[in-house]
Amino acid sequence: MIVLSLARPHRLRLLFVVLTGIGLLVAANLVGRSLPTRAVAAARPADVSLRGSLPVPGLWAAWSARFVTPEGRVVDDVNGGISHSESQGYGLVLALAADDPTTFRRIWAWTRANLYVRPDGLASWRWQPGPAPNVRDPNNATDGDILVAWALGVAGEAWSDPALTAAGRRIGRAVWDAAVVTTALGPALLPAVDGFGTGSRRDAPVVNPSYWVFPALAEFERAMPEHDWAAVAATGAEILAATRKSATGLPPEWASLAGGNVTPADGFPPVFGYNALRVPLYLAWTSGVRRDALAPFMARWNAEGGTRMAVVDLKSGRDVEPLVDDGYRAVAALVACSLEGTRFPDALRAAEVDHYYPATLRALALIAVNTRHPTCW
Amino acid sequence: MLVTRRSPLAVALLASVTLALLAAPVRADDRAAWTNATLDAGRMTRDDTDRAFAQTPVDGPAVAGDARVDESALRYYASQHATARVDAEIRRLRTLYPGWEPPADLYRPAADEQALWDLYGKDQIDQLKLEIERRTARQPGWRPSKDMVEKLRRKELRIELIKASDAADWAKVQTIAERDPLLVGADDLEVTWRIAEAAAKSGARDRAMELYRLALTGAKTAEERSGTVRKALAAMGAAAAGPLFADERIGPDGKGEFESLRVDVSRAALGDWLKGDAGRPLPQADFDRLSKAASAADGSADDAALIGWVEHRRKALPSAQKWFDLAAGRGAGAKAVLGGVLTREAAGRHGDALALAMTATDDTEVASLFLDLMAGDLTRPKHGEIPADRVARFAEIAEKLESGDAAQALGWYAHEARQSRAAAAWFAKAMAWRPSEKSAEGHLLALKALGDRQEFARLETDYRGRFPSLPQLRFEDPVRRVVGKSGPAPQRSCSALLAVHALGRTGSASDALATGWCLMEMQRAEEAAVAFEAARRGEGATAAEAAYGQSLAHLRSGRTGDAARVAAAGGLTPARREEIGRIVLAQQAIALFDGKNWSAAIETLDRRKAHVPESRDLMAMRAWSLYHLGRRSEAFDLFTLLDRQLSTRESRAGLAATGPVPYGRS
């Protein structure tokens, strides 16, 4: 070390210099010349409403022009122009986020007149264009009902419309009564009333991790506290914690909870794909920082050199099919924002839309950034 | 050490300073103590120290605080912050008194920093840092005191910790806490609580308890003490935080300081019990404690309601009702009403339940419950008379909440009261709000009753497409349908019979009867009357039915008097006689109304109403008659009822004509 080899005066001078330098350093820091900081505090959950939370108004204009018919049907252009309770639900959420009650009511009117025909108050999940009957599969899809109930509840409060509030509560109650089952890991969401519960298949109960719409469940806990929605959310967290222990750390599209374990379900390709892509979206959308929950997605997607996303084969751990659309990148950007405060890229803030699913994911990611991580904006 | 983070800029600065200094000539002088003290305090610039080293001492050595040295000018210049003069004076004094040191308190940092401490005290950290920067620029050589630097750093850490705690980033909170152990302290409860929370939420229960105990010990006020326990309960739950209650102090009135917290714990426990699965045993101690608190004179409405829900769950209905009524009395609002309605309903007091619900239907949940409770009443086969205000409120809420089920119930209710226009309207809403096979069927039946063939056909296709198992409904003449239920089936096809009739042949009585009905279906009422006359020659049932048919035919062609005469004499069954009678009365009333004979029209309607509920059309006619008689408020009441049942252009026109000015009349 230089210091020790110098004669004493030198050492003293160097000491002086070092001390002065330190003093300057201290002064510099005190003066507030700040260095890049890590992700900052998330907004408190009660403060931020879904209403009006979409930060790119042109995006709603484009999305609704392209995907919402005058009757209020939301068209999935990639899946043969069908509609489903999921697309209707996302349409309602986005209309609310764009503070557009007119289009919201149009979408809701079509949804309840055409999909909510089941006696138990849940929606038949699928509507196909063409000759009647347009609804051929009466089964529900629980994530669609959750999205619809969430949007209705928040809209009813935001626009002071008791009809919307009442309808949202009815559907929420229906989800609890018909689609929540007790499992070894806690109360869990059945993907549909038929076909996934005990007695329907050997590896029952089978769940879809991406059906846990965490921000919706948090809202249900607040607005319908007579049911233990927090326990349902906790079960979802348990399931994801279990899948984090796997080789890839990623959740499967369909998981069996038989025997209290979480394994990819029989009969479905054991991949992390288009469905499960929404898991980190919903996680990053909730309040509270969940570093370890988001870490596997961050590690997989935001490697050095940029964002790399693909459908992953969970057995081999290999990428199977690349996911190139901006919509999917937006989910990766949201994760990076949530974990490291990385600014949400300008390129992903455009108003143009292409296909239904990625366009919807991008819009939802924008809402999540705006409501949960405003410093990334 | 004070160093927090390195920045490339500072390192470069350090390096350049080092190089510059090393280039200067070295003087081997032993003023170590003086030099170090001076440099440490940062009160002299590099130039000054160089110059100081360069000068040779003149006089004997002097020491600090030497009374011979007159420092007054120096201090004066320092107090004026006249740094250039201070430097010059220092040089002068040093030259005069070698060995003399400038006094340590020359710039009185304590007093000088008062403004800074003020900012610190007000937590205006950004301004504080700005001020420090300004002073450093203004007074080269000035530095904030160690104390200030230390405290400022701690304050910044504190702010960071609070941010991390708000973000629920427990790991970060604990990391920051480790960086500066003095952050934890009995003095700073806020921070101690947050660190304890982070420990608790990360599973380090023992550490959390340690911190809560520390906070409890150091807390100065009662609020701080109970606040600490409250925080512990929130972070760790009642079971883990229990030991803290052992440190409870008993006040002079014998009550423990944490008693209200115990009540909070009980409240939470009961809330959890309500949310949990059925069959879990009731936490009795918590129940007793909360009941005691709730029944006290200053008990809260919400607690009373909560006990009510617990009792309701346990099926202790009378007790539950008592608690809900208590809660309502204390102003608990809709939640208490909800409970009160449910307990009354569960006890079989349906009317009371509905009456109570009606007092609070502004609340969406109560309104929904009201709809659910009453829907059955409207559609039960023999429901008897239902109070009109209840039906009106039911309709109003159905509209407000856009309830498909309620709309369907109203559809069937209207259908049964033969108010087909209202029925059709309600079924249409039911199909828009909650489509079902029953609503579809009801809608089509109503359209049939109205004779709206076009709309019937249009919707039948749509509805059958959506509900393939919809029963077949053929569109028939409404009069014919009524008869078809009770009369004999025609023997031969209509075209054959009419062909015979056209030839002027009479045929048998039963053929004449069948011909009569065919002619009615073809809207040839006068000819039908003649055919029926012939059929009355037959015996028994045929003659009776012929008389019935003839009455209807007379009514159709507007010969009310003849119809009444035939009905009276023709051997009709009482039911049919009454049916004819109703239609006769309706027609008479209409004739009177057209003739502007208002009171007679009302009288006739009254006679008719004694036998059968009044249809909307006749009700409207009654209302207009009242209006013409000057009985405006009665007319208004009737229009209001009509409008509430189903708001149409006609009902609104009536309101406008009879209502107070705000309805738009000039």
Side-chain angles (χ1 to χ4, degrees):
Chain A
M1 284 281 292
I2 289 181
V3 177
L4 293 172
S5 67
L6 286 175
R8 206 157 156 220
H10 287 271
R11 213 180 320 150
L12 289 173
R13 181 161 301 155
L14 198 56
L15 183 60
F16 153 70
V17 163
V18 168
L19 291 174
T20 312
I22 290 167
L24 288 170
L25 256 181
V26 172
N29 278 322
L30 290 180
V31 168
R33 196 172 322 161
S34 57
L35 310 158
T37 52
R38 315 210 91 217
V40 294
R44 291 187 175 281
D47 296 342
V48 189
S49 168
L50 197 47
R51 173 193 186 178
S53 60
L54 181 65
V56 181
L59 179 52
W60 171 242
W63 196 97
S64 53
R66 195 172 156 83
F67 302 121
V68 184
T69 72
E71 298 79 35
R73 181 170 89 82
V74 178
V75 179
D76 183 346
D77 60 334
V78 171
N79 278 312
I82 63 169
S83 297
H84 29 72
S85 52
E86 176 210 279
S87 67
Q88 300 300 119
Y90 282 142
L92 291 172
V93 169
L94 294 183
L96 175 60
D99 207 359
D100 182 355
T102 314
T103 313
F104 184 99
R105 292 205 164 93
R106 217 166 73 220
I107 297 174
W108 170 231
W110 187 92
T111 311
R112 68 176 160 176
N114 291 278
L115 295 185
Y116 277 95
V117 294
R118 290 173 55 101
D120 64 4
L122 296 173
S124 294
W125 76 281
R126 187 178 187 276
W127 190 100
Q128 64 191 54
N134 303 93
V135 171
R136 307 217 180 172
D137 181 357
N139 210 359
N140 80 313
T142 306
D143 71 333
D145 292 298
I146 288 177
L147 291 167
V148 172
W150 179 30
L152 286 171
V154 178
E157 212 171 293
W159 295 323
S160 301
D161 188 338
L164 299 179
T165 311
R169 298 188 109 262
R170 262 201 306 276
I171 298 172
R173 247 203 313 271
V175 169
W176 183 271
D177 290 340
V180 172
V181 291
T182 314
T183 71
L185 294 160
L189 296 167
L190 283 178
V193 171
D194 294 319
F196 294 94
T198 320
S200 305
R201 28 187 306 151
R202 233 178 347 106
D203 59 348
V206 164
V207 298
N208 187 318
S210 75
Y211 283 21
W212 262 263
V213 187
F214 289 108
L217 295 173
E219 174 63 23
F220 288 173
E221 176 68 22
R222 193 191 66 81
M224 294 186 284
E226 63 270 19
H227 296 127
D228 202 349
W229 293 105
V232 173
T235 307
E238 282 285 316
I239 292 170
L240 294 174
T243 61
R244 274 201 291 284
K245 298 203 186 90
S246 66
T248 56
L250 301 172
E253 301 269 284
W254 300 92
S256 160
L257 304 184
N261 303 314
V262 181
T263 52
D266 291 336
F268 296 101
V271 299
F272 165 82
Y274 292 91
N275 268 290
L277 194 44
R278 295 175 291 187
V279 169
L281 168 68
Y282 296 143
L283 280 175
W285 198 334
T286 51
S287 66
V289 177
R290 297 180 192 238
R291 293 187 182 278
D292 40 342
L294 289 173
F297 306 101
M298 185 74 189
R300 192 88 197 182
W301 291 340
N302 293 316
E304 348 71 46
T307 313
R308 201 192 70 234
M309 299 178 77
V311 174
V312 179
D313 179 315
L314 294 175
K315 285 207 165 52
S316 67
R318 277 200 280 275
D319 289 353
V320 167
E321 179 194 325
L323 299 166
V324 294
D325 197 294
D326 274 351
Y328 310 124
R329 272 183 215 288
V331 179
L334 171 64
V335 171
C337 151
S338 179
L339 280 185
E340 293 185 353
T342 312
R343 188 173 177 280
F344 199 80
D346 286 328
L348 299 177
R349 306 182 190 202
E352 290 77 41
V353 298
D354 194 2
H355 291 300
Y356 155 76
Y357 191 60
T360 307
L361 292 187
R362 190 161 68 80
L364 297 171
L366 287 166
I367 295 169
V369 170
N370 194 30
T371 54
R372 288 284 161 248
H373 309 282
T375 49
C376 297
W377 187 244
Chain B
M1 277 253 63
L2 299 177
V3 176
T4 52
R5 281 183 271 251
R6 291 276 183 86
S7 85
L9 180 63
V11 170
L13 187 59
L14 196 59
S16 62
V17 166
T18 312
L19 286 170
L21 266 182
L22 287 172
V26 173
R27 296 288 168 151
D29 247 321
D30 199 15
R31 297 179 211 262
W34 177 95
T35 313
N36 282 342
T38 312
L39 291 176
D40 217 8
R43 244 169 268 115
M44 292 186 76
T45 64
R46 178 173 40 88
D47 289 340
D48 287 345
T49 54
D50 281 348
R51 262 174 255 128
F53 276 122
Q55 279 162 9
T56 43
V58 172
D59 209 346
V63 292
D66 197 326
R68 289 180 291 155
V69 182
D70 178 10
E71 293 172 348
S72 56
L74 180 62
R75 286 193 181 280
Y76 173 70
Y77 293 141
S79 73
Q80 298 300 303
H81 298 284
T83 39
R85 290 192 178 198
V86 165
D87 293 344
E89 182 65 12
I90 286 176
R91 280 199 292 276
R92 190 182 74 84
L93 288 173
R94 280 218 192 94
T95 313
L96 284 178
Y97 307 105
W100 169 85
E101 309 169 23
D105 62 346
L106 181 61
Y107 279 102
R108 294 187 204 282
D112 201 37
E113 280 191 353
Q114 192 49 52
L116 297 180
W117 287 112
D118 287 342
L119 288 171
Y120 174 88
K122 288 189 231 167
D123 273 351
Q124 290 171 340
I125 303 304
D126 291 330
Q127 268 169 279
L128 172 56
K129 296 205 282 202
L130 201 62
E131 181 61 24
I132 288 174
E133 181 185 352
R134 262 197 258 131
R135 289 196 187 190
T136 316
R138 224 186 322 142
Q139 307 162 27
W142 179 85
R143 294 284 179 272
S145 64
K146 232 190 247 190
D147 195 23
M148 164 122 282
V149 169
E150 177 97 12
K151 290 227 164 67
L152 181 57
R153 183 185 167 276
R154 180 159 302 130
K155 188 149 248 186
E156 286 190 297
L157 274 180
R158 188 178 187 277
I159 290 173
E160 226 186 292
L161 187 149
I162 290 177
K163 245 194 232 175
S165 163
D166 284 340
D169 193 351
W170 312 127
K172 187 163 182 202
V173 170
Q174 291 179 292
T175 315
I176 296 174
E178 272 160 41
R179 272 210 287 229
D180 189 350
L182 286 179
L183 272 174
V184 173
D187 290 333
D188 196 344
L189 279 184
E190 175 77 37
V191 167
T192 310
W193 286 342
R194 285 172 185 267
I195 300 174
E197 183 190 7
K201 298 256 168 80
S202 323
R205 289 269 172 86
D206 295 335
R207 172 100 181 108
M209 278 302 280
E210 195 188 321
L211 289 166
Y212 282 123
R213 281 222 168 78
L214 178 69
L216 201 56
T217 319
K220 295 184 193 57
T221 67
E223 283 85 39
E224 285 177 355
R225 283 178 61 83
S226 51
T228 302
V229 178
R230 199 184 302 276
K231 294 274 179 190
L233 286 169
M236 295 198 293
L244 286 175
F245 279 93
D247 300 334
E248 182 179 26
R249 293 183 193 150
I250 313 290
D253 57 354
K255 284 215 309 208
E257 59 174 333
F258 297 146
E259 187 54 35
S260 68
L261 291 172
R262 285 207 176 83
V263 173
D264 290 344
V265 170
S266 295
R267 190 180 294 121
L270 288 174
D272 284 342
W273 181 82
L274 276 174
K275 240 194 244 213
D277 298 328
R280 284 204 343 227
L282 176 71
Q284 192 64 41
D286 293 311
F287 179 77
D288 293 337
R289 181 174 290 123
L290 193 66
S291 302
K292 184 151 160 268
S295 50
D298 59 347
S300 80
D302 288 340
D303 281 347
L306 182 59
I307 301 285
W309 286 116
V310 173
E311 293 286 59
H312 177 260
R313 176 72 72 89
R314 286 169 59 189
K315 311 262 191 296
L317 295 177
S319 170
Q321 188 171 313
K322 186 189 79 166
W323 283 106
F324 283 125
D325 290 346
L326 178 62
R330 287 182 184 159
K335 281 270 180 280
V337 171
L338 210 56
V341 171
L342 285 170
T343 37
R344 283 166 175 78
E345 178 73 12
R349 289 159 46 206
H350 185 67
D352 290 346
L354 288 177
L356 178 58
M358 280 175 72
T359 64
T361 50
D362 281 340
D363 177 77
T364 309
E365 277 190 72
V366 175
S368 286
L369 180 58
F370 177 73
L371 288 185
D372 289 339
L373 291 181
M374 222 185 118
D377 293 351
L378 292 176
T379 52
R380 243 201 336 265
K382 285 190 173 28
H383 56 67
E385 188 72 32
I386 300 179
D389 63 332
R390 253 189 230 169
V391 180
R393 181 74 65 90
F394 186 87
E396 184 190 322
I397 297 172
E399 196 66 64
K400 184 168 114 169
L401 297 186
E402 295 183 356
S403 163
D405 293 336
Q408 196 195 134
L410 283 164
W412 289 117
Y413 180 72
H415 180 79
E416 208 220 342
R418 301 217 187 91
Q419 303 200 4
S420 301
R421 204 170 300 279
W426 280 116
F427 281 123
K429 286 178 205 258
M431 286 305 287
W433 297 338
R434 179 117 146 83
S436 68
E437 197 178 290
K438 290 304 286 179
S439 292
E441 187 187 339
H443 197 187
L444 292 174
L445 284 172
L447 288 172
K448 223 170 64 155
L450 287 172
D452 192 341
R453 194 184 282 271
Q454 199 180 14
E455 188 71 353
F456 179 94
R458 182 178 78 84
L459 286 172
E460 214 232 343
T461 328
D462 176 17
Y463 289 168
R464 191 168 301 288
R466 283 148 70 180
F467 300 99
S469 49
L470 196 60
Q472 283 289 351
L473 298 162
R474 252 173 312 121
F475 191 90
E476 290 162 356
D477 188 302
V479 174
R480 185 78 175 91
R481 178 177 67 83
V482 167
V483 170
K485 265 202 301 208
S486 49
Q491 300 298 322
R492 281 153 53 183
S493 77
C494 268
S495 43
L497 287 166
L498 289 173
V500 170
H501 176 84
L503 294 175
R505 308 266 173 80
T506 334
S508 68
S510 58
D511 282 349
L513 182 62
T515 308
W517 286 124
C518 289
L519 288 163
M520 283 292 276
E521 194 163 333
M522 296 175 66
Q523 315 290 334
R524 286 152 68 173
E526 288 85 353
E527 294 173 64
V530 172
F532 283 127
E533 180 66 42
R536 284 176 75 185
R537 282 184 284 115
E539 59 299 333
T542 312
E545 194 180 332
Y548 175 59
Q550 196 182 36
S551 306
L552 289 172
H554 282 316
L555 284 173
R556 186 82 59 82
S557 31
R559 293 173 26 202
T560 317
D562 290 341
R565 194 177 36 80
V566 170
L572 270 56
T573 63
R576 280 180 173 175
R577 209 170 29 239
E578 208 175 280
E579 186 193 337
I580 301 292
R582 290 196 296 261
I583 307 175
V584 163
L585 284 171
Q587 287 194 350
Q588 282 175 344
I590 292 169
L592 287 164
F593 183 80
D594 287 341
K596 299 202 198 313
N597 205 334
W598 317 121
S599 29
I602 291 178
E603 242 174 273
T604 311
L605 285 173
D606 285 342
R607 274 167 42 214
R608 184 181 179 280
K609 197 172 170 188
H611 298 287
V612 66
E614 207 158 72
S615 69
R616 281 179 65 84
D617 298 340
L618 294 177
M619 253 200 265
M621 203 172 75
R622 176 193 290 272
W624 284 117
S625 304
L626 287 166
Y627 166 73
H628 286 298
L629 285 172
R631 288 154 69 177
R632 188 170 270 155
S633 61
E634 288 176 66
F636 179 68
D637 288 342
L638 201 48
F639 279 124
T640 308
L641 190 65
L642 277 168
D643 191 64
R644 282 220 198 110
Q645 272 179 3
L646 181 68
S647 182
T648 59
R649 215 178 17 242
E650 290 76 26
S651 65
R652 288 193 288 274
L655 283 175
T658 57
V661 174
Y663 276 96
R665 254 183 327 112
S666 53

